[in-house]
Amino acid sequence: MSTPGNWFVLIEETGSVESEFVVAKTIPVDGGPEEAWEAALEVARTHERFPGTRADCAREIYRLSERSIRVVLRAGYGYIPESFRVTVAELLEAHESLAPQQDEAPADKGGRRWPRRRS
């Protein structure tokens, strides 16, 4: 069982590889999965993948699964459609990166990067 505040809407955009999606933005949602789904639908209707998205784009919203939406923007004949994914997700765990302790020194391997100069 989750507590309110653990639900998010993730906006995932294509990465360097067309089939790869990377999280571009996370939006916290007050409430549970139902509220997160409503927020995801609103994001799907309004999010612009690129600032200044053409106003004459057709927006197609597809439900992929219980918690995932694909949005396809079509700008007309001859344009390659753009798409992004909106997902409802529950945060299960979050781990902060650990900073090295001040008294810890980097491991010395005893070697040098450059040879000593001989005079």
Side-chain angles (χ1 to χ4, degrees):
M1 189 78 178
S2 65
T3 59
N6 286 339
W7 288 90
F8 291 82
V9 173
L10 308 177
I11 300 174
E12 301 171 281
E13 297 178 349
T14 51
S16 58
V17 178
E18 183 62 30
S19 62
E20 170 190 72
F21 279 87
V22 295
V23 176
K25 187 174 184 180
T26 59
I27 304 166
V29 175
D30 290 329
E34 295 82 17
E35 291 83 4
W37 181 255
E38 290 300 318
L41 283 172
E42 185 60 28
V43 167
R45 292 177 186 122
T46 61
H47 176 69
E48 292 183 2
R49 176 152 185 225
F50 301 107
T53 299
R54 292 177 48 148
D56 61 347
C57 283
R59 184 177 295 253
E60 300 169 356
I61 300 173
Y62 298 95
R63 182 179 189 149
L64 301 177
S65 68
E66 187 177 313
R67 294 188 178 168
S68 186
I69 300 168
R70 169 74 57 93
V71 179
V72 178
L73 303 173
R74 298 184 191 277
Y77 182 76
Y79 288 95
I80 298 172
E82 294 291 332
S83 68
F84 60 92
R85 190 164 56 194
V86 181
T87 305
V88 171
E90 181 181 17
L91 178 65
L92 297 179
E93 294 183 18
H95 302 276
E96 299 293 327
S97 62
L98 300 175
Q101 300 295 324
Q102 286 185 342
D103 58 320
E104 289 182 16
D108 188 324
K109 296 187 179 178
R112 295 182 176 269
R113 285 192 175 182
W114 299 280
R116 288 188 180 176
R117 294 180 77 183
R118 295 184 185 220
S119 311

